[in-house]
Amino acid sequence: MTSVHERTSLKHETQKDISLYINGEFVASESGATIKNINPFTNEQINEAAEGRAEDIDKAVAAAREAFDNGPWRTMKLKERMAYIYRIADLIDDEVENIAYLESLDTGLPISQTRNMVSRASENFRFYARMVESRLVGDAYQVDDEFINYTINAPVGVAGLITPWNAPFMLETWKVAPALATGNTVVLKPAELSPLSANLLAEVIHKADLPKGVFNVVHGYGETAGDRLVKHPDVQLISFTGETTTGSTIIKNSADTLKSCSMELGGKSPIIVFEDADFDRALDACIWGIFSFNGERCTANSRLFIHENIKEEFVEELKKRVANIKLGNPLDPETEVGPLIDKGHYSKVKGYLDIAKEEGAEVITGDIPAEIAAGNFVAPTLILNAENSMRVAQEEIFGPVMAVMTFKDEEEVIKMANDIDYGLAGYVWTNDIKRGHRVAHQIEAGMLWVNAQNVRDLRTPFGGSKSSGIGREGGHYGFDFYTEQKIVHVSITDHRIQQFGK
Ligand code: NAD
């Protein structure tokens, strides 16, 4: 494994400025404008990324449209298209260490965590290649001896993919893989705060030698580049991951062109620990679930409901462990929590600690060591004596901050857990098997885990309910979004036809 010191020798590579990737070429933006890309650990500039605007989106969509309508991608033999998808996966594997490094540099996520995340990205491609080969199948319906009706799945067209900064490479590949494997062409608009790994994905796909225009990347701001992609009449699909308010704006803006939208939005997920739970495992999972990925995790268990009989002991252990969490340079493999993505987000998260105090909760937080004070660090924080109605218990903070509440019984905790706008994930800890299932069934959320931390199974549906999302991606569920289902009705006899006007 390369050391931090060796890795910094790669610095010159990352200081290369970043271009857009349109129609198989790396190009500057039409306006020549750029966005300064800042390192969250030092707040110094890493490099600049071309700032794509409406005219660049128009170019990328035109390339993707041409590739879809007249290029070989949509109609080539499945085996040939899947060979490209497998090649992308192999090329990602060759770059895992480099991508993990870029991701940590760009986002502040600890390298021990980006390594894991990035090593799963190639599997997103392999998984979808296998899924398309084995599960993209139609149904046949026999109607007596008169008809055979059958369904087929066709690619939809140009897919606009809009992604956030919190797990950039993972989320980009999570969308790009099914979109391409099912035969669509793609325009990706990555988050403006984390362009490095999206650029590397463009380099990988360029090396894989996909037909021109099949895959395009336009860096830029959401309000300009993202907005144009959402409103573009030649784009059929928008798959979006990001904040709930942005999702709502996108749905409104896509209405005039009647796009199909998949929405993976914010969360404020409960973890419920009953008194009979495996105490140590629940504690480990609870800490990991809120403080991994710097707390910038959509499925974070940011609301802990602890049974009142074990509250004191659990909170004491939490305090000890949280005080021990290692903050530091995200490129150091020992670091457990790194700096937040940028100063704006840092101020937002810090602001919530003030709000918690104003609301009457107790804030347990740590100091930031002087040697890392240049970074956007918020120490892992517990908000004790929180109440479910407080803003800190209701709003997504998206940082290393957990609100702690107690409950008396099952009925009460289900009510509290559901008394919120969000519905992304939920975690239940109990050794009573019936109660585990029962509570999981009653929590209003798209994804539940019982006696487990957040472990993904790529075959299962991913997505949220309520204000956390619309639709499901993952597994074959993604086919509903990335393909158009058609039904073909075939008469196999001379069935009766009305003879008007005869
Ligand atoms: P964000 O909504 O600010 O931005 C996400 C993306 O949308 C960026 O690429 C941005 O440029 C673009 N965008 C912004 N305004 C736009 C507009 N008007 N039109 C088109 N595009 C626009 O989100 P963020 O701060 O980057 O990410 C954090 C959020 O993402 C959190 O709320 C988190 O919970 C959520 N998230 C959800 C999931 C999930 O699967 N449900 C996963 C990861 C993150």
Side-chain angles (χ1 to χ4, degrees), residues 163-165 189 192 222 240-243 246 264-266 298 396 462:
T163 49
W165 46 259
K189 207 303 279 171
E192 57 272 28
F240 170 77
T241 300
E243 282 185 24
T246 316
E264 304 286 2
L265 309 176
C298 56
E396 186 183 44
F462 186 98

Side-chain angles (χ1 to χ4, degrees), residues 174-329:
W174 174 241
K175 293 181 190 301
V176 171
L180 290 181
T182 49
N184 300 288
T185 58
V186 164
V187 177
L188 169 67
K189 207 303 279 171
E192 57 272 28
L193 295 176
S194 57
L196 294 185
S197 60
N199 183 55
L200 204 132
L201 182 61
E203 289 179 356
V204 158
I205 291 185
H206 188 70
K207 266 195 222 158
D209 206 19
L210 263 66
K212 280 191 189 332
V214 168
F215 177 73
N216 305 273
V217 181
V218 179
H219 301 281
Y221 294 107
E223 294 72 11
T224 48
D227 184 71
R228 178 61 183 156
L229 188 58
V230 165
K231 293 177 180 164
H232 201 297
D234 283 340
V235 174
Q236 278 73 47
L237 298 175
I238 294 290
S239 174
F240 170 77
T241 300
E243 282 185 24
T244 296
T245 48
T246 316
S248 163
T249 304
I250 288 178
I251 291 175
K252 285 182 204 126
N253 288 343
S254 66
D256 283 345
T257 46
L258 284 176
K259 287 186 176 57
S260 175
C261 292
S262 167
M263 292 282 146
E264 304 286 2
L265 309 176
K268 186 83 176 177
S269 302
I271 178 169
I272 300 172
V273 184
F274 285 93
E275 59 184 322
D276 66 346
D278 183 328
F279 189 97
D280 293 338
R281 288 181 60 75
L283 186 72
D284 286 343
C286 180
I287 295 170
W288 167 260
I290 181 65
F291 299 117
S292 55
F293 305 103
N294 303 342
E296 298 162 319
R297 176 179 191 144
C298 56
T299 50
N301 46 252
S302 46
R303 294 190 298 154
L304 164 63
F305 294 99
I306 178 86
H307 191 273
E308 58 183 12
N309 291 352
I310 55 168
K311 178 209 166 187
E312 234 141 80
E313 203 187 338
F314 201 86
V315 170
E316 269 325 293
E317 289 306 312
L318 264 180
K319 281 189 194 163
K320 278 190 224 153
R321 293 276 296 273
V322 168
N324 261 335
I325 290 177
K326 195 171 177 312
L327 290 124
N329 185 341

Side-chain angles (χ1 to χ4, degrees), residues 65 127 165 167 258 307 316 326 343 362 367 372:
R65 186 80 255 165
F127 173 79
W165 46 259
L258 284 176
H307 191 273
E316 269 325 293
K326 195 171 177 312
K343 282 205 178 301
E362 185 189 354
D367 295 326
I372 58 168

Side-chain angles (χ1 to χ4, degrees), residues 147-164:
F147 278 90
I148 297 287
N149 304 333
Y150 63 92
T151 62
I152 55 171
N153 292 79
V156 183
V158 177
L161 311 179
I162 303 179
T163 49

Side-chain angles (χ1 to χ4, degrees), residues 375-449:
N376 311 318
F377 283 94
V378 173
T381 301
L382 299 173
I383 299 182
L384 302 182
N385 306 322
E387 281 172 26
N388 206 26
S389 57
M390 290 178 176
R391 285 184 60 191
V392 288
Q394 290 286 321
E395 296 174 16
E396 186 183 44
I397 299 175
F398 219 53
V401 180
M402 182 167 67
V404 181
M405 289 163 275
T406 52
F407 67 94
K408 284 192 198 51
D409 58 34
E410 192 178 316
E411 192 185 344
E412 184 193 36
V413 77
I414 289 168
K415 221 185 217 165
M416 283 161 76
N418 288 339
D419 184 13
I420 190 150
D421 288 340
Y422 292 108
L424 190 57
Y427 307 85
V428 185
W429 284 85
T430 175
N431 273 332
D432 176 340
I433 188 168
K434 289 192 212 158
R435 178 160 65 190
H437 288 280
R438 202 163 57 224
V439 174
H441 287 203
Q442 289 184 77
I443 300 296
E444 295 165 355
M447 297 174 284
L448 281 306
W449 280 266

